[in-house]
Amino acid sequence: MKAFYEVLEQLYKKVLLGATLENDSHHYIFYLNPAFSDQDCSTTTSLEWTNTFGIQDKHQLSSVKVAPISVAPVRLKSTSQMDVAREVKLLQLTVMEVMITRILSVETEFHAKEKYRDIIKILLESAEVDTKLISMFQNLDKLLSHMAAKCLALLLYFQLKEKIILSNSWITFCQKNLSEYSESDKVIYCLWTHTAVIKEIFKDTCSQKAEILKQFLTPFETIFEVFYNSLFSQHFENCQDTSKIINCLMCFLELLELLVASRIYLKLHFTCQRILFLKPSCVLEVITWPVQTFVKRKVIIFIKKCLLHKVGEDLFCGPVPASMPSDCHLEMDMLALANAVLQAVNLGLLKTLSVHGKPSFFGGDEIQPGCEHISDPDHVILRAVSLVIMKALEIKFQNCISANEMKVDLQRFMSELLTFLKPHLQPSLQLHNPCEWLSRVFIEQDDDMLEAAKVSVSIYLTLTRECEATESLTQEKEMCKHHTHENGYNPHCIFLFFLKNIGFDSTVLLDFLISSETCFLEYFVRYLKLLQKDWDNFFTICKYFDATESKYDINICGCDSSLFQDRSTNQTIPHRLTVLDSHVNACTWVSWDSSAASEPLNQVVMSKETHIMQVHSLSSPQASQSLVDYDSSDDSEVDSTNQCLANSKQTSLHQEAVKKIQDAAETSGDIKELSLDPQSRPLVPKYFNTPFSVNCEAAPNDIVLEVGISYRTVKCFKELQVAIYRLQKKNLFPYNPTALLKLLKYVEVICNKSMSPL
């Protein structure tokens, strides 16, 4: 027995290194063929091992011819017969797993790979190894049953890759246990193995992924729907063994995510891939079950990923088209899911959802007696719920409903959401601007925040187009815009709160543009296009922000609103803006053409998707020294915004902006080519020429300048424009930003024209 184990250990070492095996394949089958059942292992005595292998042991030892290899040996953990048998079986499974991994690897030498392939095929055909692995699922040894499931998943994937028909024993086992969920304890292994095989398909870089998955899912086309109905029809509160339901539920949600992902990426149309969309209310009802918070969180995040088309994106390998072709069937399924979400919210889903999380410590989550701790809400759930509701509204609005229906739905569901969020946001939301909720909820999660901001732009555009098409009275249009504020989804307010949170720092925007981890590029381009058409509304909102800062003593612009003074005369600047009684009544309606959001957005986003891989090349030795390789001290001076702000010199904000533009023109003369206006215009209108402190160290609380937040926004855009241009000039920007630069330049021109004196 010990000699048998030693030979198997030496075989493991050779396969681990991908070495070529010299002997006939049947010699290795002799060692890799596991015992059929636990009883075989436990009752096998030393004499039986000797009788079984006997003289062959010596022959095999000499024929394997394994040279000493410096690989960490696998040691026997016990000298008892049962432990030895267990170790042998675990090592057999490990060798098979490593051997299949070597077959699938492109780094394995051809002759070694062919030998491994031949051995695995013989194991499948003559030894019926898959049947033996299935029998191990009943083993009380959890490690052994888990290793058997892992090995079986790789064997199934090997069969799919080699176009070998899946064994009837595996198909029968799954069909029986999935259809008899309430009575079967082995269903978890069916779900886990299916998930593992689909993950292997996703990780593969071959072009036949769809064909391989089709071969795998065909035998289970109807059985998954039976299991789906059985699982979600359980009355959780009446179940004695709730752990079984929770384990199956968590496993099945992971499998469902992969099935939906394969629907999106591989364009297959099996019924099992559509189960969620055909009966979405079943999954949503889990949120109302008396289960642990992590289960509800899993369900909500799963729904969020589905609505955002982000299911399985971290698992899918290989080329993914930048713009997926439209799938009308998938769009209808997403609409069904969105409607189910809104219906659940309308029936009081948020009222039953608890988001109070338990405190987490290194020593556990239990609070010791005498220690007081106020637990924070589960912000993951808050973000996910918010994004799910907003995305569901967006999908519903994209499917041709009237403007009045949109207003009713927005009023109903956004007020429901804000009511749900209000108790969990400390300090509480400002009454004068409900739009602040988004930046508060998503402050710790950039990708979700930008997704939500992008959704707000989409909802705003859809609603305003419908209002423009159906409403002719100016008052009605103004009420439509007022609706966006009171329900907290005005895109201008959301963008201004976002800029405020990042301190109007153009370098942060630059980081977002370069990164491929968020949808900021798409959102930013859409917003810039909206800004071109809706500038008057944006400028009015900026004045409202400034007036609000003065009225409520709130630091909107990020400066200390104490005193703005003319440093040359030490005289206080006269107050130029009175507090607006009605923000909405001051807005002017600007029509929006639905065709305006096409060309630059597609240009910029497609350009980024095409060239995004260049981001990783920035870490090359040539580029790793600095993101911007300054040619002179003048160049470095252009980008040192933070250094200028921290400078102790009392330079006026207007003078600083003019100097930056002049310096940029001197050091980067080619940037003039981007100008859309032949005349040289100052960034700030002439009647704003009165200088004021950059540091905002002193200003009366009742004074707000019209150059406040609107000026800082455009100044941030200008700094971003210069930084992008200079990176592009040095070939350090990861994609072609020409269209983006034109958008930024055009916004600057609009700003200059709007601020010009009458």
Side-chain angles (χ1 to χ4, degrees):
M1 177 63 179
K2 185 176 180 180
F4 180 87
Y5 184 89
E6 290 175 353
V7 174
L8 193 59
E9 186 177 33
Q10 289 297 310
L11 178 60
Y12 163 77
K13 294 177 181 179
K14 294 201 72 174
V15 175
L16 188 63
L17 295 177
T20 303
L21 303 179
E22 299 86 0
N23 297 327
D24 182 73
S25 299
H26 289 85
H27 290 291
Y28 304 105
I29 299 298
F30 171 76
Y31 290 99
L32 293 176
N33 190 9
F36 190 82
S37 67
D38 298 328
Q39 187 177 4
D40 293 338
C41 266
S42 60
T43 60
T44 299
T45 63
S46 178
L47 179 61
E48 287 172 338
W49 279 96
T50 305
N51 292 336
T52 304
F53 306 127
I55 302 173
Q56 293 185 16
D57 264 353
K58 297 181 180 179
H59 171 69
Q60 295 297 335
L61 279 168
S62 60
S63 61
V64 172
K65 296 179 181 178
V66 179
I69 302 173
S70 58
V71 177
V74 181
R75 300 292 184 186
L76 286 175
K77 295 183 179 179
S78 174
T79 57
S80 69
Q81 292 296 327
M82 188 173 294
D83 287 343
V84 170
R86 176 179 180 273
E87 293 291 334
V88 167
K89 189 174 287 189
L90 287 172
L91 188 52
Q92 287 174 325
L93 297 177
T94 303
V95 173
M96 282 191 283
E97 182 182 345
V98 175
M99 192 172 286
I100 297 173
T101 304
R102 279 294 179 183
I103 294 172
L104 301 175
S105 174
V106 295
E107 299 178 356
T108 307
E109 193 266 333
F110 175 76
H111 294 290
K113 184 181 294 188
E114 288 298 311
K115 191 71 172 181
Y116 300 159
R117 182 180 284 113
D118 186 49
I119 293 172
I120 296 298
K121 285 183 177 180
I122 295 174
L123 277 171
L124 287 169
E125 294 170 2
S126 62
E128 297 183 346
V129 68
D130 49 353
T131 303
K132 297 178 180 179
L133 293 176
I134 292 173
S135 70
M136 292 184 191
F137 292 165
Q138 305 176 20
N139 199 301
L140 296 178
D141 188 333
K142 296 300 182 183
L143 177 59
L144 192 59
S145 58
H146 177 68
M147 285 295 297
K150 285 183 64 179
C151 192
L152 180 60
L154 282 175
L155 280 171
L156 291 170
Y157 183 61
F158 172 80
Q159 290 175 289
L160 295 170
K161 287 280 289 185
E162 297 293 324
K163 301 187 184 303
I164 301 173
I165 299 176
L166 297 176
S167 66
N168 288 329
S169 59
W170 160 249
I171 296 175
T172 304
F173 172 78
C174 287
Q175 290 178 341
K176 180 178 184 298
N177 287 282
L178 290 174
S179 61
E180 300 174 357
Y181 158 69
S182 58
E183 301 175 4
S184 174
D185 293 327
K186 308 180 193 68
V187 67
I188 194 75
Y189 293 103
C190 298
L191 298 175
W192 191 93
T193 310
H194 271 88
T195 303
V197 173
I198 297 178
K199 283 182 178 180
E200 290 295 330
I201 296 174
F202 270 39
K203 289 191 294 185
D204 200 340
T205 56
C206 70
S207 58
Q208 293 86 27
K209 289 183 179 182
E211 291 79 6
I212 294 174
L213 185 61
K214 183 178 180 180
Q215 180 187 352
F216 182 61
L217 292 180
T218 300
F220 311 102
E221 170 68 348
T222 58
I223 198 65
F224 278 126
E225 186 174 2
V226 175
F227 176 75
Y228 184 92
N229 295 331
S230 177
L231 175 63
F232 291 108
S233 63
Q234 298 288 319
H235 296 286
F236 185 84
E237 59 277 3
N238 298 330
C239 294
Q240 295 180 350
D241 187 8
T242 57
S243 62
K244 176 186 173 183
I245 296 181
I246 292 176
N247 289 337
C248 288
L249 179 61
M250 297 298 286
C251 239
F252 190 55
L253 286 175
E254 188 174 6
L255 178 58
L256 270 181
E257 180 176 347
L258 293 176
L259 291 173
V260 175
S262 64
R263 169 91 184 280
I264 296 173
Y265 294 119
L266 301 181
K267 301 301 179 184
L268 294 177
H269 300 282
F270 283 97
T271 302
C272 61
Q273 296 173 297
R274 300 186 60 215
I275 301 175
L276 171 69
F277 307 106
L278 296 175
K279 300 178 180 180
S281 59
C282 295
V283 176
L284 290 169
E285 285 177 2
V286 176
I287 301 175
T288 65
W289 287 5
V291 294
Q292 294 93 327
T293 304
F294 75 89
V295 179
K296 298 182 180 183
R297 185 189 301 121
K298 177 79 172 179
V299 172
I300 297 172
I301 292 177
F302 170 55
I303 299 295
K304 181 192 78 172
K305 287 183 176 180
C306 289
L307 292 174
L308 294 176
H309 289 216
K310 289 184 175 293
V311 282
E313 65 174 2
D314 54 338
L315 298 173
F316 193 87
C317 295
V320 178
S323 58
M324 302 289 287
S326 61
D327 185 342
C328 60
H329 300 291
L330 181 61
E331 291 174 0
M332 294 306 297
D333 284 347
M334 289 297 178
L335 176 60
L337 179 59
N339 286 331
V341 168
L342 296 177
Q343 183 180 3
V345 173
N346 194 36
L347 293 175
L349 178 66
L350 298 183
K351 295 181 176 66
T352 64
L353 181 60
S354 174
V355 294
H356 293 289
K358 296 184 70 176
S360 297
F361 306 104
F362 285 110
D365 57 3
E366 297 298 330
I367 303 177
Q368 297 298 322
C371 298
E372 294 184 2
H373 182 84
I374 301 176
S375 60
D376 293 329
D378 190 331
H379 291 281
V380 175
I381 292 182
L382 292 181
R383 288 192 293 265
V385 168
S386 303
L387 193 48
V388 162
I389 293 176
M390 290 191 69
K391 190 64 182 179
L393 286 170
E394 179 195 20
I395 293 173
K396 183 177 181 179
F397 293 169
Q398 289 172 347
N399 288 271
C400 301
I401 64 175
S402 67
N404 288 333
E405 287 181 90
M406 292 184 193
K407 292 178 184 177
V408 171
D409 284 342
L410 281 168
Q411 174 69 34
R412 178 191 308 158
F413 295 110
M414 290 304 296
S415 62
E416 187 88 14
L417 176 60
L418 293 177
T419 302
F420 168 72
L421 294 174
K422 189 176 295 183
H424 307 296
L425 297 180
Q426 297 297 331
S428 59
L429 288 174
Q430 301 171 14
L431 298 177
H432 56 273
N433 201 329
C435 299
E436 188 192 13
W437 74 269
L438 193 145
S439 62
R440 295 274 299 278
V441 171
F442 294 97
I443 189 66
E444 297 179 357
Q445 195 71 31
D446 294 340
D447 53 348
D448 282 354
M449 176 180 64
L450 295 171
E451 288 285 356
K454 188 177 73 171
V455 169
S456 72
V457 173
S458 176
I459 292 176
Y460 180 82
L461 292 177
T462 305
L463 181 61
T464 51
R465 288 192 198 107
E466 290 295 325
C467 289
E468 185 180 23
T470 58
E471 299 175 355
S472 57
L473 297 178
T474 303
Q475 184 178 2
E476 293 178 349
K477 294 177 180 179
E478 297 303 333
M479 289 302 297
C480 182
K481 297 169 78 173
H482 174 70
H483 195 272
T484 67
H485 292 279
E486 69 178 6
N487 292 295
Y489 64 94
N490 183 277
H492 299 303
C493 293
I494 290 172
F495 185 75
L496 290 175
F497 277 118
F498 168 69
L499 285 183
K500 176 214 169 197
N501 286 337
I502 65 172
F504 295 85
D505 190 345
S506 62
T507 61
V508 177
L509 299 183
L510 183 63
D511 288 340
F512 276 123
L513 287 173
I514 290 176
S515 172
S516 60
E517 296 178 358
T518 69
C519 64
F520 180 74
L521 174 64
E522 185 180 357
Y523 162 64
F524 193 47
V525 170
R526 287 186 181 184
Y527 181 73
L528 289 177
K529 290 187 66 61
L530 169 65
L531 196 57
Q532 293 178 10
K533 301 294 181 180
D534 208 22
W535 174 261
D536 289 341
N537 189 23
F538 167 78
F539 193 66
T540 303
I541 291 174
C542 288
K543 292 191 292 184
Y544 175 73
F545 267 65
D546 293 333
T548 302
E549 179 180 358
S550 174
K551 181 177 180 179
Y552 294 98
D553 194 22
I554 297 172
N555 188 359
I556 295 291
C557 298
C559 293
D560 182 13
S561 56
S562 52
L563 183 70
F564 290 94
Q565 288 184 335
D566 186 337
R567 293 292 178 176
S568 60
T569 62
N570 284 332
Q571 294 179 355
T572 304
I573 300 174
H575 179 45
R576 296 182 183 272
L577 180 66
T578 59
V579 177
L580 302 179
D581 293 330
S582 175
H583 159 209
V584 178
N585 293 336
C587 297
T588 56
W589 181 264
V590 179
S591 64
W592 171 255
D593 185 4
S594 61
S595 64
S598 56
E599 183 266 334
L601 173 62
N602 294 336
Q603 270 191 7
V604 178
V605 175
M606 289 295 291
S607 173
K608 181 175 181 180
E609 294 292 342
T610 305
H611 301 283
I612 196 62
M613 295 306 295
Q614 298 179 16
V615 175
H616 302 290
S617 67
L618 291 176
S619 59
S620 61
Q622 183 178 359
S624 61
Q625 297 177 359
S626 174
L627 184 62
V628 182
D629 186 15
Y630 295 113
D631 292 332
S632 67
S633 59
D634 292 335
D635 287 345
S636 63
E637 193 173 307
V638 175
D639 281 350
S640 58
T641 306
N642 294 334
Q643 182 179 354
C644 291
L645 291 176
N647 199 329
S648 60
K649 295 180 180 180
Q650 304 300 330
T651 306
S652 72
L653 187 59
H654 173 62
Q655 292 171 348
E656 178 191 349
V658 173
K659 182 178 185 298
K660 282 183 177 291
I661 297 172
Q662 292 174 348
D663 290 346
E666 293 174 0
T667 57
S668 306
D670 295 339
I671 201 170
K672 294 178 181 179
E673 297 175 3
L674 296 172
S675 176
L676 303 181
D677 190 345
Q679 298 180 355
S680 176
R681 293 179 176 270
L683 185 60
V684 184
K686 294 179 180 179
Y687 57 90
F688 288 158
N689 280 349
T690 306
F692 57 93
S693 170
V694 179
N695 298 329
C696 306
E697 292 176 352
N701 292 333
D702 60 341
I703 290 181
V704 178
L705 293 179
E706 199 167 359
V707 295
I709 199 168
S710 61
Y711 171 71
R712 296 193 69 187
T713 301
V714 178
K715 177 176 177 287
C716 180
F717 285 171
K718 178 63 181 178
E719 293 171 352
L720 177 64
Q721 179 186 345
V722 173
I724 293 174
Y725 177 78
R726 296 180 66 248
L727 287 174
Q728 182 195 24
K729 187 177 180 182
K730 298 177 183 297
N731 294 322
L732 291 175
F733 208 74
Y735 52 90
N736 185 2
T738 302
L740 177 61
L741 287 170
K742 288 181 179 178
L743 286 172
L744 289 168
K745 188 65 181 178
Y746 192 58
V747 169
E748 179 191 347
V749 171
I750 294 175
C751 173
N752 290 339
K753 289 181 179 179
S754 67
M755 289 182 174
S756 297
L758 299 176

